[in-house]
Amino acid sequence: MIGSSLQRSSHLLTLAKTVRQYEEALSQASGERFNVFDILHVGHYEVRTHSPMLAELLNPRGAHGQGAIFLKQFLAHLKIIDFEAESARVVPEVFIGEQGRLDIVIQDGNHRAIFIENKIYAGLQKNQLQRYHKQNSKANLLFLTLGGDSPADWSTNIFYKTPSFITIFQRVSYKHDIVGWLEACRKEAANAPGVRETISQYIHLIKRLTQQNTSGPMNQKFIEAVTHDQSGETYLAYASLRNAYGAIRQAIIEKVNGQLDAIGKELGLETSEVFAGHGEPGENYFYTNAAMKAQNLRFGLRCADSDYRNFGFGFAYINCDLKGPVELPVVTLFKDAFGEQFDSNGFWHAYLRWSYHSSWDDETRADIISGKFATDLDALIRTLQKIAEQAAKTFSVASQQT
């Protein structure tokens, strides 16, 4: 039985590799792999990419020129009734005073409203949905996430325990709801090739973010291979492969730890924390050395969300209750090196989301295994170490002058 299961598992892997190579060749030839969102590395931005894209498609007066048909498809898909699409106004990033800022507001001529709270990776602020509900208790409040998740505190917060909580907000997923809606929009835009192809690229991006195969024929080959074996053995082999995901992920993260350890040793850095490999939010990899310890600093990487999503890097305090004298040089040098606005808080002295590798998807994992990813890791760690060294020198010179 075990030998038979292993043989079928091997067959499925061989089939998957063969079909994928064929699909990749077709994608390359057709230009399908040319995706503007991937090229510009903007696919993970809620405010800069997803909210504006969704708002523009939902807007009856949007540049797509398709009128209210996309909004009507959206309303139908989410079963929202009694909403006048033709007269609707759509506005992203609406400030509503002390209640906060809404990602997307849709309002029709009869003053009916739809509020969309869009969360790709960032977490929900405390009582955020309650505040939006307080702003307009009659509005349709949509909580949009990659997988259609509930707010993190919904089970403990009395607001969500009310019997009618499901009418207060509606969970919406990119994986199913938005992809399904976009596919309907693509059909409606059959005679508008520019709009149609942009929607296709956006669908491809979302499927990648939600770890779905982008090829229907590829999926069909797998379905046939699994279901046509009436003994059920091929399905059990597939289930064995599926159930190995956690162990495979652990092994891949251990490989990353090994790559980072090798980089650190070459640069004379001391590893103070490694990725646990469980895919839990807040896993870190940190380096330090004697000079940084003296300044209460360390630097490294953190994944803010589960399953190695929302990665960032920067300089963190070793002891968050203390501060070090190299703070100002680190801030200046960090800004000079990365040229972007970064965050500071009680844990991080200087922190920036890693735009090129914000979330470690399947392609990233493949690059980790092949060793390609180690090149980007090496470049990032060397830049951070250079900042640490220059900051220490700046502080030393300043101390000697005083």
Side-chain angles (χ1 to χ4, degrees):
M1 174 71 83
I2 294 177
S4 176
S5 180
L6 287 174
Q7 186 177 15
R8 284 183 167 85
S9 296
S10 178
H11 173 71
L12 283 175
L13 288 172
T14 301
L15 174 64
K17 184 177 179 179
T18 301
V19 174
R20 183 180 182 279
Q21 288 173 343
Y22 175 71
E23 293 289 340
E24 283 291 305
L26 287 179
S27 297
Q28 189 72 28
S30 66
E32 185 179 319
R33 289 183 60 83
F34 184 84
N35 187 294
V36 68
F37 300 103
D38 291 333
I39 293 168
L40 298 178
H41 299 285
V42 297
H44 60 285
Y45 290 117
E46 294 164 5
V47 175
R48 287 167 49 187
T49 301
H50 291 277
S51 289
M53 185 68 181
L54 294 174
E56 184 65 19
L57 290 173
L58 290 168
N59 187 357
R61 287 169 288 281
H64 50 73
Q66 305 304 299
I69 189 62
F70 295 162
L71 177 55
K72 289 179 179 178
Q73 288 286 352
F74 184 79
L75 298 172
H77 193 86
L78 296 181
K79 297 180 173 58
I80 297 175
I81 60 174
D82 298 328
F83 196 90
E84 176 53 54
E86 298 288 351
S87 63
R89 294 178 63 254
V90 181
V91 184
E93 289 296 301
V94 177
F95 181 65
I96 53 175
E98 63 181 19
Q99 304 305 330
R101 187 183 299 273
L102 283 160
D103 292 324
I104 301 174
V105 172
I106 311 172
Q107 190 168 40
D108 70 7
N110 298 315
H111 302 292
R112 296 184 182 91
I114 299 172
F115 294 166
I116 302 178
E117 178 59 23
N118 184 24
K119 293 295 181 187
I120 298 295
Y121 297 122
L124 195 66
Q125 298 174 14
K126 185 177 180 181
N127 300 325
Q128 195 168 355
L129 291 182
Q130 295 96 311
R131 297 198 302 270
Y132 298 159
H133 179 66
K134 181 180 179 181
Q135 174 70 18
N136 184 346
S137 62
K138 295 182 179 180
N140 290 83
L141 179 53
L142 309 182
F143 184 62
L144 173 59
T145 62
L146 288 177
D149 301 327
S150 294
D153 63 346
W154 79 275
S155 62
T156 58
N157 193 308
I158 192 169
F159 174 80
Y160 301 117
K161 286 185 175 180
T162 60
S164 61
F165 80 89
I166 197 63
T167 65
I168 293 174
F169 72 91
Q170 179 179 351
R171 290 180 297 171
V172 182
S173 75
Y174 276 95
K175 185 173 185 177
H176 300 295
D177 298 311
I178 298 301
V179 166
W181 166 62
L182 288 172
E183 288 174 343
C185 291
R186 181 167 56 183
K187 291 179 181 179
E188 297 289 351
N191 296 323
V195 177
R196 183 188 66 237
E197 293 308 313
T198 300
I199 292 174
S200 293
Q201 292 195 17
Y202 192 42
I203 290 172
H204 182 89
L205 168 66
I206 293 174
K207 285 189 173 182
R208 184 173 60 78
L209 291 176
T210 54
Q211 299 184 14
Q212 300 179 74
N213 283 338
T214 58
S215 169
M218 181 184 290
N219 289 339
Q220 191 58 41
K221 288 289 186 182
F222 296 155
I223 292 169
E224 291 172 0
V226 170
T227 60
H228 283 195
D229 176 11
Q230 296 183 0
S231 71
E233 289 295 323
T234 302
Y235 173 79
L236 292 176
Y238 154 75
S240 297
L241 292 173
R242 180 197 64 204
N243 294 339
Y245 170 73
I248 292 172
R249 180 186 62 194
Q250 178 88 35
I252 292 172
I253 296 304
E254 288 176 359
K255 193 173 185 71
V256 171
N257 283 335
Q259 292 168 348
L260 286 166
D261 181 63
I263 294 169
K265 286 179 179 177
E266 182 180 348
L267 299 177
L269 296 168
E270 173 188 333
T271 298
S272 63
E273 186 174 348
V274 301
F275 294 125
H278 306 311
E280 297 296 328
E283 289 192 20
N284 305 310
Y285 195 104
F286 278 118
Y287 297 105
T288 190
N289 57 25
M292 283 191 286
K293 285 180 182 178
Q295 311 303 332
N296 189 36
L297 285 176
R298 54 183 177 164
F299 69 77
L301 296 158
R302 161 171 283 196
C303 62
D305 293 324
S306 61
D307 205 21
Y308 300 98
R309 299 177 300 169
N310 198 5
F311 260 87
F313 61 85
F315 286 82
Y317 298 110
I318 297 174
N319 184 340
C320 296
D321 295 327
L322 302 175
K323 293 185 178 181
V326 298
E327 289 178 358
L328 184 57
V330 165
V331 168
T332 302
L333 293 165
F334 194 87
K335 184 176 181 180
D336 290 343
F338 299 104
E340 297 185 48
Q341 184 177 1
F342 53 87
D343 296 324
S344 297
N345 53 44
F347 182 85
W348 290 99
H349 182 53
Y351 173 85
L352 185 66
R353 182 180 287 180
W354 197 2
S355 58
Y356 288 105
H357 297 294
S358 176
S359 292
W360 294 2
D361 57 15
D362 291 333
E363 291 185 6
T364 306
R365 293 183 178 104
D367 286 344
I368 291 170
I369 293 172
S370 70
K372 294 179 181 178
F373 187 63
T375 301
D376 289 345
L377 282 177
D378 185 84
L380 176 64
I381 299 308
R382 287 179 184 275
T383 300
L384 293 173
Q385 187 207 32
K386 185 176 181 180
I387 291 172
E389 290 178 344
Q390 290 177 337
K393 289 178 181 178
T394 301
F395 172 70
S396 176
V397 170
S399 298
Q400 292 174 6
Q401 291 176 347
T402 59

